[in-house]
Amino acid sequence: SGPVSHSLFVAAGMYTSTGRQRGAPADGTWAITVRNALSGTVLTTCHVLPSDLVVHLKQCVKIVKDVPEITLMTEDSKFLNPVDTIQNSGLADGDIVLAVMMAHRLVATASSDGLVNTCDTESNTVERQLQAAPPQSLLSACCSGDGHWLVTGSSVGTPKFWDAKSGEVKRVFEGHAGSVCCVDVSSDSKFVASGSYDFLGKVWEVESGNCVRTLVDPKLEGEGLEPRTHLLHLLSIRFSPYDSSVVATTSADCTAKVWNVQSGECLHRLCHAEDPYGPLPVSTVCFAANGQELVTASDIFCTLWSVRTGLEMRTWEAHTSTVTCVAHSVEEALLLTGSKDGTAKIWDLQSGLCRRTLQGHERPVTAVALSPDSKFAVTGCGDGLAKVWNTHTGTCEQTLEGNRLGILMAMFVPC
């Protein structure tokens, strides 16, 4: 067997059950302090070699806080790759790392009733509730990956950036001339993307509140139209998970587009020109975890595209009625789809096979998400109910009843 990693030794031998170090670290090690990303409390201080892997920091954290999934990021919200070395990840001696801890316990939902709830799935209670908009005016919502922030879009036409814990509005982004029907927040929480009935997608800088890019397709300008992202109103907008300069948009005009935010260039125009797959409105989009592929949904079909080439990789019939929402797993090649047929399905994108059908909703499924380790799924429905599922057995573990109208967002959030 190979040599034993220094930080594995630290994890196994230098910590007590309470997380205290047994002795001083050896020369040449770095002290990295890990805090809870949500509460800010110190979890532990790890002494590691610069050549050790980031995953070893996670192992140190698990000794003091054993939760199913831990994701580490820097103080400026850059997620750390577990297989990078400590040094190559940009860390240095004395740095602070934030731990995003997922326990499958908390689910955030947003609904057309204007309420954003954080629910404890074990006790089926609402831990926090935020009235983000008047009833029937909230159109879209998204939580940041670390659970700190919430972005909402509504019929008012101004996306809002909230402190998810305190319920305080931190930014209001002025610039759309129509209702904001879709929003997203970049993985580092520095940018917000929004799409509107004014036919425009915009990217905003959170710190300044300024619009840094309005996505304009020059091919549409040549048709005598006002500058616009799509010919018709937008239906969804998403950041690439690892590159906030790449954004995908979809529209009722039967196209999806991939954009470079820095240059404003439309990199790819994705569409099906002929039956049976098109032309049909592209209802939703999501990126794969690696950022190299994306999935779009049109009517009952899903399509896997290459982000690099813009070429179609596979199209399949996913449901018996319109696909309304899609979500990719964090690590595995799994896709979760929801549909107006009342079901959600888990797909293996490598084989193209459906692993599991989640049945139990009586109305259209309108929001879906997978837990970071893909062991659980959450689905939201047009009747205001959200359900938590065991993805291995397909059984419904909990039904959340905190909303009164259709669910717009459902996702697992850190504890």
Side-chain angles (χ1 to χ4, degrees), residues 151-199:
V151 183
T152 59
S154 72
S155 58
V156 176
T158 53
K160 293 182 179 180
F161 189 78
W162 306 72
D163 183 314
K165 194 171 184 180
S166 69
E168 180 184 358
V169 176
K170 294 293 186 179
R171 283 282 181 270
V172 177
F173 305 107
E174 304 276 357
H176 279 297
S179 298
V180 176
C181 50
C182 49
V183 292
D184 195 23
V185 58
S186 62
S187 59
D188 58 8
S189 302
K190 293 182 179 180
F191 298 95
V192 164
S194 58
S196 169
Y197 288 162
D198 62 8
F199 315 118

Side-chain angles (χ1 to χ4, degrees), residues 236 238 248-250 256 258 270 282-289 292-298 301-307 313-316 318 323 325-328 333-337 347 349:
S236 65
R238 287 288 183 273
T249 58
T250 74
V258 182
L270 314 176
V282 186
S283 55
T284 188
V285 64
C286 72
F287 282 89
Q292 300 303 306
E293 295 96 30
L294 60 78
V295 176
T296 60
S298 300
F301 305 102
C302 286
T303 301
L304 182 68
W305 307 84
S306 166
V307 172
M313 300 171 68
R314 183 190 308 133
T315 296
W316 71 98
V323 180
C325 45
V326 292
H328 199 281
L334 295 179
L335 179 75
L336 179 62
T337 60
W347 302 88
L349 287 182

Side-chain angles (χ1 to χ4, degrees), residues 49-244:
L49 289 171
S51 58
D52 285 334
L53 300 180
V54 171
V55 69
H56 297 152
L57 289 176
K58 293 174 65 174
Q59 292 168 333
C60 291
V61 175
K62 270 190 169 289
I63 291 174
V64 296
K65 197 75 173 180
D66 189 15
V67 294
E69 184 67 22
I70 298 171
T71 303
L72 300 178
M73 63 182 186
T74 61
E75 287 189 288
D76 61 356
S77 300
K78 174 191 172 187
F79 283 96
L80 299 175
N81 188 332
V83 297
D84 278 350
T85 65
I86 304 293
Q87 189 169 36
N88 288 345
S89 67
L91 296 176
D93 186 24
D95 276 357
I96 294 173
V97 168
L98 304 180
V100 179
M101 297 182 292
M102 305 290 287
H104 307 148
R105 185 174 65 84
L106 298 182
V107 166
T109 61
S111 163
S112 298
D113 59 15
L115 294 175
V116 179
N117 292 329
T118 302
C119 305
D120 186 322
T121 62
E122 292 179 359
S123 61
N124 201 354
T125 57
V126 176
E127 282 204 350
R128 293 191 301 272
Q129 187 172 80
L130 168 66
Q131 186 75 50
Q136 299 187 342
S137 66
L138 189 66
L139 300 176
S140 54
C142 179
C143 281
S144 62
D146 60 8
H148 269 298
W149 312 110
L150 170 74
V151 183
T152 59
S154 72
S155 58
V156 176
T158 53
K160 293 182 179 180
F161 189 78
W162 306 72
D163 183 314
K165 194 171 184 180
S166 69
E168 180 184 358
V169 176
K170 294 293 186 179
R171 283 282 181 270
V172 177
F173 305 107
E174 304 276 357
H176 279 297
S179 298
V180 176
C181 50
C182 49
V183 292
D184 195 23
V185 58
S186 62
S187 59
D188 58 8
S189 302
K190 293 182 179 180
F191 298 95
V192 164
S194 58
S196 169
Y197 288 162
D198 62 8
F199 315 118
L200 290 173
K202 292 178 179 285
V203 178
W204 314 81
E205 183 184 52
V206 171
E207 184 175 1
S208 66
N210 294 332
C211 177
V212 296
R213 178 66 62 187
T214 298
L215 305 173
V216 174
D217 190 339
K219 287 193 173 183
L220 298 179
E221 289 185 286
E223 299 179 14
L225 301 171
E226 293 290 324
R228 57 181 64 194
T229 307
H230 285 272
L231 186 62
L232 299 177
H233 68 271
L234 276 70
L235 295 176
S236 65
I237 190 165
R238 287 288 183 273
F239 283 104
S240 171
Y242 288 115
D243 188 354
S244 58

Side-chain angles (χ1 to χ4, degrees), residues 319-320 336-337 339 341-346 354 356-363 365 377 379 381 387-390 393-399:
H319 287 269
T320 59
L336 179 62
T337 60
S339 167
D341 65 15
T343 69
K345 294 185 179 183
I346 303 169
C354 178
R356 190 79 58 191
T357 298
L358 309 178
Q359 294 179 300
H361 286 294
E362 296 182 0
R363 295 185 65 185
V365 175
T379 57
C381 181
K387 292 180 180 289
V388 179
W389 308 81
N390 182 310
T393 64
T395 56
C396 177
E397 306 252 323
Q398 190 65 271
T399 298

